[in-house]
Amino acid sequence: MANEVTLSVLFGFISSVLLGIVAYFIKQLHTDFKSMERDMSEVKTMALIIKTEFRTSYDILTKKVEYLEQRINKLEINQIKNQDHEK
C-alpha cells in the first residue's frame, strides 16, 4: 500500500511538473505572438507611409512632366510662328 501511495505521489509530481513546463511554453508562445502582432502592425504602418510617400512623389513628378510638356508645346508653337514670319 505504501508503495502504491509513493508511486501515486511520484506520478502526480511528474504530471504537475510536466504540466507546469507546458504552461510555461504556452505562456512564452502567447508572448511571442503578441510581440509578432505588434511588429506586424508597425510593418503595416511603415508600408502605408512608404506607399503614400511614393504616391506623392509620383504625383509631383507627373505634374512636372505635364508642365514641361506644355512648355515644350508652347516653345514649338512659338518656333513655328517665328519660322513662318521669317519666310
Side-chain angles (χ1 to χ4, degrees):
M1 179 82 172
N3 209 8
E4 291 177 7
V5 171
T6 305
L7 188 60
S8 181
V9 168
L10 182 63
F11 181 72
F13 175 75
I14 291 174
S15 297
S16 296
V17 169
L18 289 176
L19 284 174
I21 292 172
V22 168
Y24 172 77
F25 283 116
I26 288 175
K27 182 180 175 185
Q28 289 298 319
L29 186 64
H30 181 68
T31 304
D32 290 344
F33 273 114
K34 281 193 171 215
S35 175
M36 185 179 67
E37 181 181 11
R38 200 171 330 123
D39 291 344
M40 288 300 292
S41 176
E42 289 177 12
V43 168
K44 187 176 179 181
T45 303
M46 288 302 294
L48 185 61
I49 289 170
I50 291 170
K51 182 179 176 183
T52 303
E53 287 177 358
F54 275 120
R55 184 176 292 142
T56 304
S57 297
Y58 176 76
D59 290 343
I60 290 171
L61 284 175
T62 303
K63 287 179 183 178
K64 285 182 179 181
V65 167
E66 288 174 0
Y67 172 74
L68 290 173
E69 285 177 348
Q70 289 174 356
R71 193 160 173 203
I72 288 173
N73 286 336
K74 287 180 183 178
L75 289 172
E76 287 175 344
I77 290 172
N78 285 339
Q79 184 68 25
I80 291 171
K81 285 182 181 179
N82 287 340
Q83 287 177 357
D84 288 344
H85 287 309
E86 289 177 1
K87 289 182 184 180

